[in-house]
Amino acid sequence: MKQKPTESVILDAAMRVFTRKGFAATRTEEIAKEAGMNRALLHYYYRDKQTIFNLIFERRFSEFFKGLFIIFETDSPLFEKIEKMVDHEISTISQHPDLPRFILMEVAQHPERLIEYGQKLGLNPRIFLEQFEGQVQAEVRAGRIRPIEGRQLVINIMSLCMYPFVAKPIIKTMMQLDESKYFEMQERRKKEVYEFIIHAIKVSV
Amino acid sequence: MKQKPTESVILDAAMRVFTRKGFAATRTEEIAKEAGMNRALLHYYYRDKQTIFNLIFERRFSEFFKGLFIIFETDSPLFEKIEKMVDHEISTISQHPDLPRFILMEVAQHPERLIEYGQKLGLNPRIFLEQFEGQVQAEVRAGRIRPIEGRQLVINIMSLCMYPFVAKPIIKTMMQLDESKYFEMQERRKKEVYEFIIHAIKVSV
DNA sequence: CGCAATATTAACAATTTTGTTAAACAACCG
DNA sequence: CGGTTGTTTAACAAAATTGTTAATATTGCG
């Protein structure tokens, strides 16, 4: 029976609650309850709510962006890269389905954090983006894909992967899916989205 | 110099603040300031914060879903319908760019409202969805589009239209777009997304 | 004008949420 | 075992947020 150190019990609980509710709607009381302890203990280990939140935000921010950028970085051929991106995004986010909504919510409210934490992680979107745009334009010139702006393609890929998670409650309700049906739908999407994109850009033979 | 009735000055201010911040992060003080009045006056016209929020939510919920369902309802041919949907969504949401994020945030926190307000508006997603799936399957059988589940197509269309708004702050920062560049990008998307979808589903000739 | 009725505000009160303190408890070590 | 350290809690205090009230200002109308 290895008991986790209280610090990480707190952080794990805080992660769940903050991710579900966002900073503003989160009550420290709820974090404490989720961690099975008294509210005062949070303050014993961490100065205040904001301090805990910042730690969580950094963690989740990294989870959200790190994997994505790793794939941008690899120099596979375009189609392979897209396949990896789609598969990676849908797979990893499936295990943290409310991560995108959390990031979007908090970044929308404090856009300056995007720059701050982006630098902290050493992310440089400009470089990745330029590299990707170059790759796309090369394919276009080679006549393998129809003309498309690299950035529009990136936006399309991200949209197709992320939105179904962000809109999970709406999709579940409108399509009357329970948790497992929703999961199956996402599983099918790995193939569906990849093929959708390839057909969308490939020049017909 | 026609002065608007105080009720609607309040609601308009509340709409802006709630939409920007969501319920939990909104301070009644901020609504009052935005409306150019004393906080007490909000309570003179409306019982409390929650009452104001409910009015706003109903309004915005309707804005978000009503237009969408109208297009589902029309019986244009598939490609035309898709074109209308894409154009309509991107155009109308462009005028209310943070509407989708607001709806998603609040529905994620209170999914039961989706059903409640959906019924209030007389929306019946099941019927529209079945009708659309039928239309898609007919096209598939006719060999005009490649095999695809109707629901996956709906999700794809919505994703491509909505996500760029939901992720606006991230996209703006990562792609270094100012407000007008971002707007231009969305303008170009009307055509881009439509063509992307058509190529993705059309059987090559 | 003058007085209702309505609109608005400032000051106050209640509630909710956060943060602190001092005392109880537990673990470790001589 | 006794004392010392670090952990946890209950009770309290402070701050922030919301809601109320009573007094003031404004409007319209006889």
PDB file of all heavy atoms in Angstrom, chain B residues 2-3 6 9 26 28 37 45 53 72 76-77 96 101 107 113-114 120 126 136-137 167 178 183:
ATOM      1  N   LYS B   2     -32.633  58.627 -29.502  1.00  0.00           N
ATOM      2  CA  LYS B   2     -33.536  57.678 -28.825  1.00  0.00           C
ATOM      3  C   LYS B   2     -32.737  56.858 -27.827  1.00  0.00           C
ATOM      4  O   LYS B   2     -31.810  56.134 -28.180  1.00  0.00           O
ATOM      5  CB  LYS B   2     -34.196  56.755 -29.856  1.00  0.00           C
ATOM      6  CG  LYS B   2     -33.194  56.053 -30.767  1.00  0.00           C
ATOM      7  CD  LYS B   2     -33.847  54.996 -31.641  1.00  0.00           C
ATOM      8  CE  LYS B   2     -32.778  54.394 -32.567  1.00  0.00           C
ATOM      9  NZ  LYS B   2     -33.351  53.644 -33.683  1.00  0.00           N
ATOM     10  N   GLN B   3     -33.087  56.986 -26.542  1.00  0.00           N
ATOM     11  CA  GLN B   3     -32.353  56.167 -25.570  1.00  0.00           C
ATOM     12  C   GLN B   3     -33.031  54.812 -25.415  1.00  0.00           C
ATOM     13  O   GLN B   3     -34.241  54.715 -25.310  1.00  0.00           O
ATOM     14  CB  GLN B   3     -32.253  56.883 -24.227  1.00  0.00           C
ATOM     15  CG  GLN B   3     -33.578  57.115 -23.506  1.00  0.00           C
ATOM     16  CD  GLN B   3     -33.952  58.589 -23.498  1.00  0.00           C
ATOM     17  OE1 GLN B   3     -33.112  59.443 -23.711  1.00  0.00           O
ATOM     18  NE2 GLN B   3     -35.224  58.881 -23.250  1.00  0.00           N
ATOM     19  N   THR B   6     -33.733  50.799 -20.344  1.00  0.00           N
ATOM     20  CA  THR B   6     -32.693  50.274 -19.459  1.00  0.00           C
ATOM     21  C   THR B   6     -32.616  48.751 -19.487  1.00  0.00           C
ATOM     22  O   THR B   6     -31.524  48.180 -19.457  1.00  0.00           O
ATOM     23  CB  THR B   6     -32.945  50.761 -18.027  1.00  0.00           C
ATOM     24  OG1 THR B   6     -33.146  52.175 -18.070  1.00  0.00           O
ATOM     25  CG2 THR B   6     -31.769  50.467 -17.141  1.00  0.00           C
ATOM     26  N   VAL B   9     -30.483  47.791 -22.295  1.00  0.00           N
ATOM     27  CA  VAL B   9     -29.093  48.184 -22.059  1.00  0.00           C
ATOM     28  C   VAL B   9     -28.424  47.146 -21.171  1.00  0.00           C
ATOM     29  O   VAL B   9     -27.292  46.705 -21.419  1.00  0.00           O
ATOM     30  CB  VAL B   9     -29.022  49.580 -21.395  1.00  0.00           C
ATOM     31  CG1 VAL B   9     -27.582  49.907 -21.014  1.00  0.00           C
ATOM     32  CG2 VAL B   9     -29.577  50.639 -22.320  1.00  0.00           C
ATOM     33  N   THR B  26     -17.923  35.847 -14.609  1.00  0.00           N
ATOM     34  CA  THR B  26     -18.558  37.154 -14.773  1.00  0.00           C
ATOM     35  C   THR B  26     -18.903  37.763 -13.419  1.00  0.00           C
ATOM     36  O   THR B  26     -19.499  37.110 -12.566  1.00  0.00           O
ATOM     37  CB  THR B  26     -19.827  37.033 -15.623  1.00  0.00           C
ATOM     38  OG1 THR B  26     -19.463  36.717 -16.967  1.00  0.00           O
ATOM     39  CG2 THR B  26     -20.615  38.337 -15.621  1.00  0.00           C
ATOM     40  N   THR B  28     -21.051  40.745 -11.534  1.00  0.00           N
ATOM     41  CA  THR B  28     -22.182  41.636 -11.827  1.00  0.00           C
ATOM     42  C   THR B  28     -21.710  43.077 -11.916  1.00  0.00           C
ATOM     43  O   THR B  28     -22.230  43.868 -12.697  1.00  0.00           O
ATOM     44  CB  THR B  28     -23.275  41.506 -10.760  1.00  0.00           C
ATOM     45  OG1 THR B  28     -22.716  41.787  -9.483  1.00  0.00           O
ATOM     46  CG2 THR B  28     -23.876  40.120 -10.759  1.00  0.00           C
ATOM     47  N   MET B  37     -23.963  51.837 -15.384  1.00  0.00           N
ATOM     48  CA  MET B  37     -24.910  52.084 -14.290  1.00  0.00           C
ATOM     49  C   MET B  37     -24.464  51.405 -13.008  1.00  0.00           C
ATOM     50  O   MET B  37     -23.438  50.730 -12.968  1.00  0.00           O
ATOM     51  CB  MET B  37     -26.287  51.566 -14.680  1.00  0.00           C
ATOM     52  CG  MET B  37     -26.326  50.047 -14.818  1.00  0.00           C
ATOM     53  SD  MET B  37     -27.888  49.367 -15.407  1.00  0.00           S
ATOM     54  CE  MET B  37     -28.096  50.204 -16.967  1.00  0.00           C
ATOM     55  N   TYR B  45     -34.262  45.595 -12.138  1.00  0.00           N
ATOM     56  CA  TYR B  45     -34.934  45.088 -13.334  1.00  0.00           C
ATOM     57  C   TYR B  45     -34.989  43.559 -13.393  1.00  0.00           C
ATOM     58  O   TYR B  45     -35.908  42.999 -13.975  1.00  0.00           O
ATOM     59  CB  TYR B  45     -34.256  45.637 -14.589  1.00  0.00           C
ATOM     60  CG  TYR B  45     -34.605  47.077 -14.831  1.00  0.00           C
ATOM     61  CD1 TYR B  45     -33.739  48.104 -14.482  1.00  0.00           C
ATOM     62  CD2 TYR B  45     -35.845  47.411 -15.386  1.00  0.00           C
ATOM     63  CE1 TYR B  45     -34.079  49.425 -14.691  1.00  0.00           C
ATOM     64  CE2 TYR B  45     -36.192  48.736 -15.601  1.00  0.00           C
ATOM     65  CZ  TYR B  45     -35.304  49.741 -15.252  1.00  0.00           C
ATOM     66  OH  TYR B  45     -35.651  51.056 -15.457  1.00  0.00           O
ATOM     67  N   PHE B  53     -28.593  35.708 -16.640  1.00  0.00           N
ATOM     68  CA  PHE B  53     -27.854  34.723 -17.427  1.00  0.00           C
ATOM     69  C   PHE B  53     -28.795  33.832 -18.230  1.00  0.00           C
ATOM     70  O   PHE B  53     -28.564  33.584 -19.421  1.00  0.00           O
ATOM     71  CB  PHE B  53     -26.962  33.859 -16.538  1.00  0.00           C
ATOM     72  CG  PHE B  53     -26.209  32.819 -17.316  1.00  0.00           C
ATOM     73  CD1 PHE B  53     -25.034  33.148 -17.979  1.00  0.00           C
ATOM     74  CD2 PHE B  53     -26.692  31.518 -17.423  1.00  0.00           C
ATOM     75  CE1 PHE B  53     -24.351  32.199 -18.726  1.00  0.00           C
ATOM     76  CE2 PHE B  53     -26.015  30.569 -18.170  1.00  0.00           C
ATOM     77  CZ  PHE B  53     -24.846  30.905 -18.823  1.00  0.00           C
ATOM     78  N   PHE B  72     -30.435  22.490 -42.397  1.00  0.00           N
ATOM     79  CA  PHE B  72     -30.700  21.048 -42.391  1.00  0.00           C
ATOM     80  C   PHE B  72     -32.088  20.772 -42.977  1.00  0.00           C
ATOM     81  O   PHE B  72     -32.291  19.799 -43.685  1.00  0.00           O
ATOM     82  CB  PHE B  72     -30.656  20.506 -40.959  1.00  0.00           C
ATOM     83  CG  PHE B  72     -29.362  19.867 -40.600  1.00  0.00           C
ATOM     84  CD1 PHE B  72     -28.502  20.460 -39.690  1.00  0.00           C
ATOM     85  CD2 PHE B  72     -28.991  18.662 -41.176  1.00  0.00           C
ATOM     86  CE1 PHE B  72     -27.297  19.853 -39.351  1.00  0.00           C
ATOM     87  CE2 PHE B  72     -27.793  18.050 -40.838  1.00  0.00           C
ATOM     88  CZ  PHE B  72     -26.941  18.652 -39.927  1.00  0.00           C
ATOM     89  N   SER B  76     -32.398  21.022 -50.449  1.00  0.00           N
ATOM     90  CA  SER B  76     -31.512  21.176 -51.602  1.00  0.00           C
ATOM     91  C   SER B  76     -30.738  19.879 -51.816  1.00  0.00           C
ATOM     92  O   SER B  76     -30.656  19.051 -50.916  1.00  0.00           O
ATOM     93  CB  SER B  76     -30.505  22.296 -51.349  1.00  0.00           C
ATOM     94  OG  SER B  76     -31.052  23.298 -50.538  1.00  0.00           O
ATOM     95  N   PRO B  77     -30.154  19.727 -53.003  1.00  0.00           N
ATOM     96  CA  PRO B  77     -29.227  18.616 -53.220  1.00  0.00           C
ATOM     97  C   PRO B  77     -28.037  18.717 -52.274  1.00  0.00           C
ATOM     98  O   PRO B  77     -27.696  19.821 -51.814  1.00  0.00           O
ATOM     99  CB  PRO B  77     -28.772  18.793 -54.675  1.00  0.00           C
ATOM    100  CG  PRO B  77     -29.451  19.992 -55.211  1.00  0.00           C
ATOM    101  CD  PRO B  77     -30.369  20.545 -54.196  1.00  0.00           C
ATOM    102  N   HIS B  96     -20.298  36.986 -34.698  1.00  0.00           N
ATOM    103  CA  HIS B  96     -20.370  36.697 -33.251  1.00  0.00           C
ATOM    104  C   HIS B  96     -19.302  35.674 -32.912  1.00  0.00           C
ATOM    105  O   HIS B  96     -19.611  34.558 -32.517  1.00  0.00           O
ATOM    106  CB  HIS B  96     -21.744  36.146 -32.887  1.00  0.00           C
ATOM    107  CG  HIS B  96     -22.863  36.990 -33.347  1.00  0.00           C
ATOM    108  ND1 HIS B  96     -23.313  38.083 -32.634  1.00  0.00           N
ATOM    109  CD2 HIS B  96     -23.622  36.938 -34.469  1.00  0.00           C
ATOM    110  CE1 HIS B  96     -24.309  38.658 -33.292  1.00  0.00           C
ATOM    111  NE2 HIS B  96     -24.527  37.982 -34.409  1.00  0.00           N
ATOM    112  N   ARG B 101     -17.709  29.378 -28.510  1.00  0.00           N
ATOM    113  CA  ARG B 101     -16.990  29.060 -27.286  1.00  0.00           C
ATOM    114  C   ARG B 101     -17.902  29.206 -26.071  1.00  0.00           C
ATOM    115  O   ARG B 101     -17.889  28.385 -25.162  1.00  0.00           O
ATOM    116  CB  ARG B 101     -15.745  29.931 -27.130  1.00  0.00           C
ATOM    117  CG  ARG B 101     -14.781  29.390 -26.097  1.00  0.00           C
ATOM    118  CD  ARG B 101     -13.550  30.273 -25.898  1.00  0.00           C
ATOM    119  NE  ARG B 101     -13.016  30.757 -27.141  1.00  0.00           N
ATOM    120  CZ  ARG B 101     -13.055  32.043 -27.514  1.00  0.00           C
ATOM    121  NH1 ARG B 101     -13.590  32.942 -26.722  1.00  0.00           N
ATOM    122  NH2 ARG B 101     -12.551  32.396 -28.677  1.00  0.00           N
ATOM    123  N   VAL B 107     -22.506  24.643 -22.016  1.00  0.00           N
ATOM    124  CA  VAL B 107     -23.134  23.332 -22.176  1.00  0.00           C
ATOM    125  C   VAL B 107     -22.275  22.243 -21.542  1.00  0.00           C
ATOM    126  O   VAL B 107     -22.795  21.304 -20.940  1.00  0.00           O
ATOM    127  CB  VAL B 107     -23.403  23.024 -23.662  1.00  0.00           C
ATOM    128  CG1 VAL B 107     -23.772  21.565 -23.855  1.00  0.00           C
ATOM    129  CG2 VAL B 107     -24.521  23.909 -24.187  1.00  0.00           C
ATOM    130  N   ARG B 113     -28.905  21.539 -19.853  1.00  0.00           N
ATOM    131  CA  ARG B 113     -29.494  22.715 -20.505  1.00  0.00           C
ATOM    132  C   ARG B 113     -29.681  22.503 -21.992  1.00  0.00           C
ATOM    133  O   ARG B 113     -30.580  23.082 -22.600  1.00  0.00           O
ATOM    134  CB  ARG B 113     -28.573  23.924 -20.322  1.00  0.00           C
ATOM    135  CG  ARG B 113     -28.728  24.538 -18.971  1.00  0.00           C
ATOM    136  CD  ARG B 113     -27.956  25.846 -18.896  1.00  0.00           C
ATOM    137  NE  ARG B 113     -27.860  26.248 -17.495  1.00  0.00           N
ATOM    138  CZ  ARG B 113     -26.847  26.912 -16.985  1.00  0.00           C
ATOM    139  NH1 ARG B 113     -25.837  27.253 -17.756  1.00  0.00           N
ATOM    140  NH2 ARG B 113     -26.835  27.239 -15.713  1.00  0.00           N
ATOM    141  N   LEU B 114     -28.826  21.683 -22.581  1.00  0.00           N
ATOM    142  CA  LEU B 114     -28.914  21.411 -24.010  1.00  0.00           C
ATOM    143  C   LEU B 114     -30.288  20.832 -24.335  1.00  0.00           C
ATOM    144  O   LEU B 114     -30.954  21.261 -25.290  1.00  0.00           O
ATOM    145  CB  LEU B 114     -27.807  20.436 -24.400  1.00  0.00           C
ATOM    146  CG  LEU B 114     -27.606  20.150 -25.869  1.00  0.00           C
ATOM    147  CD1 LEU B 114     -27.444  21.420 -26.671  1.00  0.00           C
ATOM    148  CD2 LEU B 114     -26.389  19.255 -26.060  1.00  0.00           C
ATOM    149  N   LYS B 120     -37.299  23.717 -25.676  1.00  0.00           N
ATOM    150  CA  LYS B 120     -37.923  25.041 -25.660  1.00  0.00           C
ATOM    151  C   LYS B 120     -37.975  25.638 -27.066  1.00  0.00           C
ATOM    152  O   LYS B 120     -38.921  26.339 -27.435  1.00  0.00           O
ATOM    153  CB  LYS B 120     -37.119  25.958 -24.729  1.00  0.00           C
ATOM    154  CG  LYS B 120     -37.957  26.933 -23.923  1.00  0.00           C
ATOM    155  CD  LYS B 120     -37.048  27.788 -23.056  1.00  0.00           C
ATOM    156  CE  LYS B 120     -37.589  27.909 -21.634  1.00  0.00           C
ATOM    157  NZ  LYS B 120     -36.697  28.709 -20.772  1.00  0.00           N
ATOM    158  N   ARG B 126     -32.720  14.548 -33.987  1.00  0.00           N
ATOM    159  CA  ARG B 126     -32.815  13.197 -34.514  1.00  0.00           C
ATOM    160  C   ARG B 126     -33.413  13.192 -35.919  1.00  0.00           C
ATOM    161  O   ARG B 126     -32.885  12.567 -36.841  1.00  0.00           O
ATOM    162  CB  ARG B 126     -33.639  12.322 -33.577  1.00  0.00           C
ATOM    163  CG  ARG B 126     -33.522  10.833 -33.870  1.00  0.00           C
ATOM    164  CD  ARG B 126     -33.684  10.017 -32.597  1.00  0.00           C
ATOM    165  NE  ARG B 126     -34.728  10.605 -31.763  1.00  0.00           N
ATOM    166  CZ  ARG B 126     -36.003  10.202 -31.763  1.00  0.00           C
ATOM    167  NH1 ARG B 126     -36.401   9.236 -32.569  1.00  0.00           N
ATOM    168  NH2 ARG B 126     -36.872  10.768 -30.963  1.00  0.00           N
ATOM    169  N   VAL B 136     -27.295  11.401 -47.618  1.00  0.00           N
ATOM    170  CA  VAL B 136     -25.907  11.009 -47.858  1.00  0.00           C
ATOM    171  C   VAL B 136     -25.845   9.585 -48.403  1.00  0.00           C
ATOM    172  O   VAL B 136     -25.157   9.316 -49.395  1.00  0.00           O
ATOM    173  CB  VAL B 136     -25.069  11.120 -46.558  1.00  0.00           C
ATOM    174  CG1 VAL B 136     -23.703  10.453 -46.728  1.00  0.00           C
ATOM    175  CG2 VAL B 136     -24.902  12.577 -46.159  1.00  0.00           C
ATOM    176  N   GLN B 137     -26.588   8.704 -47.799  1.00  0.00           N
ATOM    177  CA  GLN B 137     -26.545   7.311 -48.262  1.00  0.00           C
ATOM    178  C   GLN B 137     -27.050   7.180 -49.704  1.00  0.00           C
ATOM    179  O   GLN B 137     -26.514   6.393 -50.487  1.00  0.00           O
ATOM    180  CB  GLN B 137     -27.336   6.386 -47.326  1.00  0.00           C
ATOM    181  CG  GLN B 137     -26.651   6.158 -45.973  1.00  0.00           C
ATOM    182  CD  GLN B 137     -25.126   6.100 -46.037  1.00  0.00           C
ATOM    183  OE1 GLN B 137     -24.554   5.380 -46.857  1.00  0.00           O
ATOM    184  NE2 GLN B 137     -24.450   6.895 -45.206  1.00  0.00           N
ATOM    185  N   ALA B 167     -10.979  28.261 -31.461  1.00  0.00           N
ATOM    186  CA  ALA B 167      -9.541  28.331 -31.201  1.00  0.00           C
ATOM    187  C   ALA B 167      -8.941  29.657 -31.651  1.00  0.00           C
ATOM    188  O   ALA B 167      -7.730  29.770 -31.803  1.00  0.00           O
ATOM    189  CB  ALA B 167      -8.836  27.176 -31.890  1.00  0.00           C
ATOM    190  N   ASP B 178      -3.159  39.582 -37.009  1.00  0.00           N
ATOM    191  CA  ASP B 178      -3.930  40.590 -36.287  1.00  0.00           C
ATOM    192  C   ASP B 178      -5.405  40.395 -36.647  1.00  0.00           C
ATOM    193  O   ASP B 178      -5.755  39.514 -37.433  1.00  0.00           O
ATOM    194  CB  ASP B 178      -3.456  42.005 -36.610  1.00  0.00           C
ATOM    195  CG  ASP B 178      -3.524  42.303 -38.094  1.00  0.00           C
ATOM    196  OD1 ASP B 178      -4.344  41.661 -38.788  1.00  0.00           O
ATOM    197  OD2 ASP B 178      -2.748  43.138 -38.575  1.00  0.00           O
ATOM    198  N   PHE B 183      -9.570  37.866 -39.928  1.00  0.00           N
ATOM    199  CA  PHE B 183     -10.850  37.981 -40.633  1.00  0.00           C
ATOM    200  C   PHE B 183     -10.712  37.549 -42.093  1.00  0.00           C
ATOM    201  O   PHE B 183     -11.533  36.780 -42.600  1.00  0.00           O
ATOM    202  CB  PHE B 183     -11.352  39.426 -40.544  1.00  0.00           C
ATOM    203  CG  PHE B 183     -12.682  39.627 -41.203  1.00  0.00           C
ATOM    204  CD1 PHE B 183     -13.854  39.233 -40.567  1.00  0.00           C
ATOM    205  CD2 PHE B 183     -12.774  40.210 -42.471  1.00  0.00           C
ATOM    206  CE1 PHE B 183     -15.089  39.412 -41.182  1.00  0.00           C
ATOM    207  CE2 PHE B 183     -14.005  40.392 -43.082  1.00  0.00           C
ATOM    208  CZ  PHE B 183     -15.159  39.989 -42.442  1.00  0.00           C
TER     209      PHE B 183
END
